[in-house]
């Protein structure tokens, strides 16, 4: 056990406490994380409060100037943040701008800067669908995976901007999300799933997917690994097929579209209608992918971080817990569940990588090497371009790069 004062010099502890408070975890939830990750110190609600005060960490900073809040909100309103309601905006200000103020202040600022938009985003005015009955054993019992094509346009082929993600059905935590030129290529889907397994070192028990060719490699990887553990008589039963409409990630796609994708869709449609972009011209597709994929990925990563630390309320007919996805996933026993994930070794993962062949080639990059070289010279860091300027970045590259 560490001495009574050692925690004062622990920079990692301070950083983690700041992160948990910025994500608006309750004190009881923060205690679960710190008791697990900093077990060398004694913990109670009183010691947590004392250590938060020592580091100068507070849930609300009442000294924050209104001008600072207005500046942060205005910046968000110029990007995908213009699609957020005041609750989501308040959470994003906390995590991305370190602006920790009461929600009513964020509401008042938004009402002043964007009154029509705030009214339009009032979720209480939207008609709610009737929910069905759903249960889950715990984290990683069932992971729902699906592709999302709202940014791809007509027949899913106008724009090379496919999205694919996986959600844990018990905690509703987004486990991974990637943006790529195609979410229907089985090699791409398989490689991303294997990347997730390398990072998490845990195999879900069951995968809920659509019956399509794009999931073939991923399903093969999953069954191969599950078979090595001898948990099921027939490991292929762990792949649960069904239509997209009954996939648990479908509800989350609506959140992503309403709160983020619509912003980029406006820019894409403007390029198409202005005849500045031709989906049949390979150069146009490559330039658009070079600019938009890293920018959309960055904004999606921010949205996933917000989602995983926002609080989900209880819902009728859903026998799954209410709370914060990150906390539910990390401490399922407090919510009547058990982590059902299967530990994986690096040897097992390297073996399936070799057998499946999905790691053999770079399946993510379809941009011609010459074109990519010129893009890197003109715009070396597209991921740093502000979201509102993505359309101008594409125009800039188009003016300066020609077809071979």
């Amino acid at each position: 056990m560490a001495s009574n004062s050692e925690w004062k010099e622990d920079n990692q502890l301070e950083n983690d406490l700041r992160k948990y408070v910025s994500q608006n975890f309750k004190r009881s939830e923060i205690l679960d994380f710190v008791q697990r990750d900093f077990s060398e110190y004694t913990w109670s609600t009183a010691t947590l409060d004392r250590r938060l005060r020592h580091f100068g960490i507070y849930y609300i900073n009442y000294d924050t100037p209104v001008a600072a809040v207005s500046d942060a909100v205005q910046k968000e309103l110029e990007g995908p943040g213009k699609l957020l309601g005041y609750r989501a905006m308040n959470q994003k200000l906390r995590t991305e701008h370190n602006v920790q103020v009461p929600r009513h202040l964020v509401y008042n600022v938004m009402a002043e800067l964007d009154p029509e938009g705030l009214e339009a985003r009032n979720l209480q005015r939207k008609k709610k669908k009737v929910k069905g009955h759903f249960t889950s054993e715990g984290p990683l019992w069932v992971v729902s995976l699906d592709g999302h094509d709202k940014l791809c346009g007509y027949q899913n082929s106008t724009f090379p901007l496919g999205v694919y993600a996986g959600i844990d059905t018990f905690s509703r935590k987004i486990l991974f999300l990637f943006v790529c030129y195609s979410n229907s290529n089985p090699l791409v889907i398989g490689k991303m799933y294997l990347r997730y397994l390398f990072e998490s070192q845990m195999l879900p028990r069951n995968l809920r997917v659509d019956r399509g060719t794009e999931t073939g490699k991923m399903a093969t990887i999953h069954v191969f690994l599950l078979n090595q553990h001898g948990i099921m008589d027939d490991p292929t039963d762990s792949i649960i097929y069904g239509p997209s409409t009954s996939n648990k990630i479908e509800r989350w796609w609506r959140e992503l579209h309403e709160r983020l994708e619509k912003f980029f869709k406006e820019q894409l449609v403007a390029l198409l209608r202005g005849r500045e972009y031709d989906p049949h011209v390979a150069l146009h597709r490559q330039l658009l992918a070079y600019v938009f994929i890293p920018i959309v990925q960055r904004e999606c990563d921010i949205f996933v971080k917000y989602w995983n630390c926002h609080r989900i309320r209880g819902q009728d007919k859903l026998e799954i817990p209410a709370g914060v996805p990150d906390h539910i996933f990390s401490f399922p026993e407090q919510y009547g569940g058990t982590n059902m994930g299967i530990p994986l070794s690096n040897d097992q993962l390297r073996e399936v990588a070799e057998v499946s062949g999905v790691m053999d080639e770079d399946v993510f990059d379809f941009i011609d090497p010459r074109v990519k070289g010129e893009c890197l010279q003109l715009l070396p860091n597209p991921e740093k371009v502000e979201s509102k300027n993505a359309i101008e970045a594409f125009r800039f590259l188009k003016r300066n790069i020609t077809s071979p």
Side-chain angles (χ1 to χ4, degrees), residues 181-239:
Y181 73 91
S182 172
N183 60 10
S184 59
N185 184 331
L187 287 175
V188 172
I189 306 302
K191 188 169 186 174
M192 286 309 305
Y193 182 60
L194 192 53
R195 275 190 180 181
Y196 160 71
L197 295 180
F198 267 108
E199 292 174 2
S200 68
Q201 302 279 297
M202 295 290 283
L203 181 71
R205 292 294 182 104
N206 302 282
L207 300 184
R208 169 62 175 78
V209 298
D210 298 339
R211 190 182 292 277
T213 57
E214 73 275 7
T215 61
K217 280 286 185 182
M218 177 174 63
T220 301
I221 290 170
H222 183 81
V223 170
F224 180 89
L225 290 170
L226 192 61
N227 187 54
Q228 293 185 344
H229 289 82
I231 293 176
M232 301 177 67
D233 292 335
D234 185 357
T236 59
D237 290 340
S238 67
I239 308 299

Side-chain angles (χ1 to χ4, degrees), residues 45-234:
T45 303
T47 57
L48 173 61
D49 285 340
R50 186 166 62 252
R51 288 164 185 172
L52 288 174
R53 288 195 300 271
H54 171 80
F55 290 126
I57 302 172
Y58 302 97
Y59 280 87
I60 300 295
N61 183 0
Y62 291 98
D63 295 328
T64 303
V66 176
V69 182
S70 296
D71 290 345
V73 171
Q74 183 61 51
K75 184 174 182 179
E76 287 299 326
L77 291 176
E78 293 172 353
K82 74 175 188 177
L83 302 175
L84 301 179
Y86 77 96
R87 292 174 182 270
M89 178 67 79
N90 182 60
Q91 185 71 0
K92 193 169 186 182
L93 294 186
R94 295 179 66 89
T95 57
E96 300 302 315
H97 298 272
N98 197 31
V99 173
Q100 298 167 344
V101 295
R103 278 197 305 229
H104 69 81
L105 177 56
V106 176
Y107 180 92
N108 292 338
V109 170
M110 292 181 70
E112 180 178 342
L113 295 178
D114 186 28
E116 294 181 359
L118 184 63
E119 179 67 16
R121 292 186 293 271
N122 187 348
L123 296 179
Q124 293 181 356
R125 296 180 179 272
K126 297 182 179 180
K127 185 177 180 180
K128 296 183 179 180
K129 294 182 179 179
V130 177
K131 297 180 175 67
H133 187 80
F134 181 77
T135 61
S136 179
E137 299 290 332
L140 300 181
W141 173 248
V142 177
V143 171
S144 286
L145 307 106
D146 194 19
H148 188 57
D149 305 316
K150 290 293 186 181
L151 290 178
C152 293
Y154 179 66
Q155 293 186 340
N156 300 336
S157 62
T158 304
F159 305 105
L161 295 170
V163 182
Y164 203 88
I167 187 172
D168 174 62
T169 58
F170 181 78
S171 64
R172 282 86 87 208
K173 176 178 181 175
I174 301 299
L175 302 178
F176 68 88
L177 179 149
F178 69 90
V179 183
C180 191
Y181 73 91
S182 172
N183 60 10
S184 59
N185 184 331
L187 287 175
V188 172
I189 306 302
K191 188 169 186 174
M192 286 309 305
Y193 182 60
L194 192 53
R195 275 190 180 181
Y196 160 71
L197 295 180
F198 267 108
E199 292 174 2
S200 68
Q201 302 279 297
M202 295 290 283
L203 181 71
R205 292 294 182 104
N206 302 282
L207 300 184
R208 169 62 175 78
V209 298
D210 298 339
R211 190 182 292 277
T213 57
E214 73 275 7
T215 61
K217 280 286 185 182
M218 177 174 63
T220 301
I221 290 170
H222 183 81
V223 170
F224 180 89
L225 290 170
L226 192 61
N227 187 54
Q228 293 185 344
H229 289 82
I231 293 176
M232 301 177 67
D233 292 335
D234 185 357

